[in-house]
Amino acid sequence: MKKLLLSLAVALTTMAASAASYSLTGGFNNWANSGTDFTDNGDGTYTVQVANLTSGFKVTATGSWSPQYGGYWDGSTLTPGEKFPLLCNQDNGGNDPNNISYSGSISAVIDATVVLDTTDWTLLVTGTIDTSYPALWLTGGFCNWAAPGAGSSAPEMSEENGIYTCTITFSGESEFKICGSGWSPEFGFAGGEETFSDTNLEGSLAGTSNAKLDFTGEYNVEYNYETRAIKFTDAAGVSTITVDNNAPKTYYNLQGQRVDNPTSGLYIVRQGNTTRKVIL
């Protein structure tokens, strides 16, 4: 009988030692994977309280980056008060899941209660919704991936009614993201998108993978926080398309009227099969 009780005690101790523990990590705690730890409710659910849960976070095993749980690579966003399905890196070929971002213009949840349900692997966030727009920076290879935040060498984007803008000089191929201070939230490719180029000036940043561009020159960047749409426009209004210099040029004003003797100003020039804007 004593041997049976001893074996049972050892088994219970082993079970307790191997019990799963989870933590919440993100920009709100400088991406620490311990310290903001869930409490086991004993029914397959875990709960943690966070004073200011800003957009962009994940669930990890306490003190480890595997397993980690985040969003699917389909641009899905979390709506407070609704269960959010989680993707585990171990079920995703070892690839990290997406950081979890809020829907619409939500930037944070104040006095957040976060419930992890391991029976269906969902996350539920409730609390007071903050819809003030966060400060965002555009960073990437063009600025040596300067960390976004106050005093950063990465350009800070101006914001008006959820539309963020900045003007940047690019010099060829580069990867980039739009990020908040401390890399949270962060916006990039969700997967499968084409590189932004002179022939691909609009798209979406619905994921968190590095986005790609191939520009040379000064470009205006416009990003819609709510729709995740991004658009590039040539700040100089001059195309960088290579043309046949031997083909004759025909000039037009901006109203489409042909100009035989153009002077200084902005014109549309047709040369061979190419049409572009030029400044004389």
Side-chain angles (χ1 to χ4, degrees):
M1 182 68 178
K2 287 184 178 180
K3 184 177 181 180
L4 177 62
L5 291 175
L6 179 60
S7 298
L8 180 60
V10 171
L12 291 174
T13 300
T14 302
M15 289 176 61
S18 61
S21 59
Y22 302 97
S23 298
L24 195 67
T25 182
F28 71 94
N29 67 355
N30 293 317
W31 293 98
N33 58 12
S34 63
T36 308
D37 306 327
F38 286 88
T39 298
D40 188 346
N41 299 320
D43 59 357
T45 67
Y46 298 75
T47 304
V48 69
Q49 307 287 330
V50 180
N52 182 20
L53 183 57
T54 53
S55 186
F57 50 90
K58 289 181 179 178
V59 176
T60 69
T62 299
S64 174
W65 289 105
S66 188
Q68 62 174 274
Y69 306 85
Y72 284 79
W73 293 94
D74 58 359
S76 58
T77 53
L78 184 149
T79 299
E82 299 180 8
K83 281 193 168 186
F84 179 81
L86 295 170
L87 172 66
C88 179
N89 64 327
Q90 295 179 346
D91 298 325
N92 192 36
N95 298 312
D96 290 349
N98 220 346
N99 294 349
I100 301 170
S101 296
Y102 295 121
S103 58
S105 60
I106 301 171
S107 60
V109 174
I110 310 302
D111 296 327
T113 298
V114 185
V115 179
L116 168 66
D117 191 335
T118 61
T119 64
D120 58 4
W121 289 106
T122 60
L123 201 68
L124 177 67
V125 177
T126 56
T128 302
I129 293 174
D130 181 2
T131 57
S132 59
Y133 293 106
L136 294 179
W137 287 259
L138 198 154
T139 186
F142 62 90
C143 64
N144 295 316
W145 287 100
S152 172
S153 58
E156 183 174 2
M157 305 185 78
S158 300
E159 182 271 323
E160 184 174 356
N161 298 322
I163 305 298
Y164 291 79
T165 57
C166 65
T167 300
I168 301 177
T169 299
F170 298 107
S171 56
E173 295 184 28
S174 181
E175 295 187 344
F176 74 97
K177 286 182 181 179
I178 293 177
C179 301
S181 180
W183 304 97
S184 180
E186 60 179 326
F187 305 102
F189 280 168
E193 296 91 337
E194 294 182 2
T195 298
F196 291 108
S197 66
D198 292 325
T199 57
N200 181 37
L201 294 169
E202 298 185 26
S204 175
L205 298 184
T208 57
S209 291
N210 292 350
K212 298 180 180 180
L213 58 81
D214 190 0
F215 296 135
T216 296
E218 188 177 47
Y219 280 80
N220 298 318
V221 186
E222 180 180 294
Y223 182 64
N224 187 314
Y225 186 83
E226 295 190 26
T227 67
R228 308 299 192 243
I230 188 170
K231 179 171 65 176
F232 297 87
T233 55
D234 188 341
V238 180
S239 173
T240 59
I241 299 174
T242 301
V243 299
D244 180 2
N245 292 324
N246 295 320
K249 298 178 182 178
T250 305
Y251 292 87
Y252 300 85
N253 60 25
L254 297 183
Q255 289 72 45
Q257 299 169 324
R258 181 169 175 168
V259 179
D260 292 328
N261 298 298
T263 57
S264 60
L266 179 61
Y267 294 90
I268 299 170
V269 61
R270 184 176 183 84
Q271 187 173 20
N273 294 323
T274 302
T275 301
R276 68 194 194 281
K277 291 180 180 179
V278 297
I279 299 176
L280 299 181

